[in-house]
């Protein structure tokens, strides 16, 4: 494999990298010797020379002149490297334990080609290059400035994977086929272009909605697999071909409008479990945002779909009964209520019991425990694949 700057025991941060690798092995995030070596060898500080770290005391800015700079870099924390003009985080280096878990689940073997969608700082591409060799790694990002910065950092660390400025939904055809595709950005739907560039029996690991889906391409062209047990949420993939998720003020403004329809619902199951209610909504309406307002005697759930412009507002009392108002042309509440009810009737299973099938034409289907059980079509509200 490529020898990195981090393999020099005298290099800045080398001791910290080795400590991080040991910690990741101790907490179970790293399970193999190959990935432990990669984390011990790759110098993370080259990829995040300046960043912000969220703490209990607020967001703290770090540079190489800040006390504790190296300790913060080699901690198990997400490091924010770029903000939008309105203050939203748009690029970061993900917490190493999550990166390690994803890389282990990817099940790479020597000689496999990997496409990473979402270059970001380049640190994850460096880990892949350390494990497989730079010539087998391709990483793409829509942001040219990020790609240029990542290239400089990768070269400084001793790696030269293929980097390209691309719309992530298109993949990178010149280096296809790939045996593995890894998305380090959040998706609403798995793009069909990825399935076309994936080798037979290849794996895709992607943050779909609020779940991490590990899908294997099968001989019939479908990709099938389960969600990992824990919820996850990466910064969204940016593409002109994908609807945006609305901002919070738009959700509140839309839901405060005059509804086209108002109806009563007797005991809505599932809204009391906010984590699962959010996970299921993220699959059914992948470009929607939900906001929950807690009042003295009830809750108000507001949802706006960025793809259709439709919205609903549910005022839920302590017994679970709801007054629901809907507007924007599409009726979104009924399929969501049905999804919540099916989850409740199945005994409220965790995320890891759900699976996803993606058809060759991009249609997504949700199933419980096995793909042979009746599935739920997720794409009847939009055609944005």
């Amino acid at each position: 494999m490529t020898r990195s700057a981090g393999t020099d025991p005298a290099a800045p941060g080398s001791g910290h990298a080795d400590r991080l690798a040991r910690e990741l092995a101790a907490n179970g995030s790293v399970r193999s010797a190959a990935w432990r070596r990669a984390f011990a060898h790759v110098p993370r500080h080259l990829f995040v020379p300046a960043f912000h770290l969220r703490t209990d005391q607020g967001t703290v800015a770090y540079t190489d002149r800040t006390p504790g700079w190296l300790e913060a870099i080699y901690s198990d924390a997400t490091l924010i490297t770029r903000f939008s003009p309105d203050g939203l985080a748009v690029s970061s280096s993900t917490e190493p334990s999550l990166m390690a878990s994803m890389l282990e689940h990817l099940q790479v073997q020597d000689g496999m080609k990997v496409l990473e969608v979402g270059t970001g700082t380049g640190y994850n591409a460096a880990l892949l290059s350390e494990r497989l060799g730079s010539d087998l790694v391709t990483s793409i990002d829509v942001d040219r400035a990020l790609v240029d910065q990542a290239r400089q950092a990768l070269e400084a660390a001793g790696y030269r994977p293929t980097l390209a400025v691309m719309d992530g939904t298109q993949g990178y055809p010149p280096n296809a086929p790939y045996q593995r595709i890894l998305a380090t950005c959040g998706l609403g739907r798995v793009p069909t272009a990825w399935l076309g560039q994936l080798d037979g029996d290849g794996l895709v690991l992607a943050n779909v909605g609020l779940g991490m889906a590990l899908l294997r391409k099968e001989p019939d062209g479908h990709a099938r697999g389960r969600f990992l047990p824990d919820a996850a949420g990466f910064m969204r993939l940016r593409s002109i071909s994908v609807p945006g998720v609305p901002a919070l003020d738009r959700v509140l403004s839309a839901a405060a409008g005059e509804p086209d329809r108002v109806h009563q619902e007797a005991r809505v199951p599932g809204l009391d479990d906010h984590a699962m209610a959010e996970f299921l909504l993220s699959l059914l309406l992948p470009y929607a945002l939900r906001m929950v307002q807690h009042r003295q005697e009830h809750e108000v759930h507001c949802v706006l779909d960025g793809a259709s412009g439709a919205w609903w507002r549910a005022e839920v009392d302590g017994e679970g009964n709801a007054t629901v108002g809907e507007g924007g042309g599409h009726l979104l509440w009924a399929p969501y209520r049905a999804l919540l009810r099916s989850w409740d009737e199945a005994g409220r299973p965790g995320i890891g019991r759900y699976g996803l099938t993606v058809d060759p034409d991009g249609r997504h289907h949700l199933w419980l425990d096995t793909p042979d059980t009746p599935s739920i079509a997720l794409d009847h509200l939009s055609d944005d694949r």
Side-chain angles (χ1 to χ4, degrees), residues 370-383:
T370 170
D372 296 329
T373 60
S375 62
I376 299 171
L378 296 176
D379 298 299
H380 59 288
L381 297 174
S382 62
D383 192 24

Side-chain angles (χ1 to χ4, degrees), residues 18 70 92 124 138 157 171 215 243 256 273 281 300 307 353 356 359 373:
D18 187 64
L70 279 175
S92 68
N124 199 64
T138 299
L215 311 177
D273 189 318
L281 181 70
V300 181
R353 286 182 57 191
L356 194 65
D359 296 346
T373 60

Side-chain angles (χ1 to χ4, degrees), residues 77-91:
T78 294
L79 310 178
I80 304 170
T81 55
R82 180 176 292 190
F83 290 89
S84 67
D86 54 2
L88 296 176
V90 294
S91 183

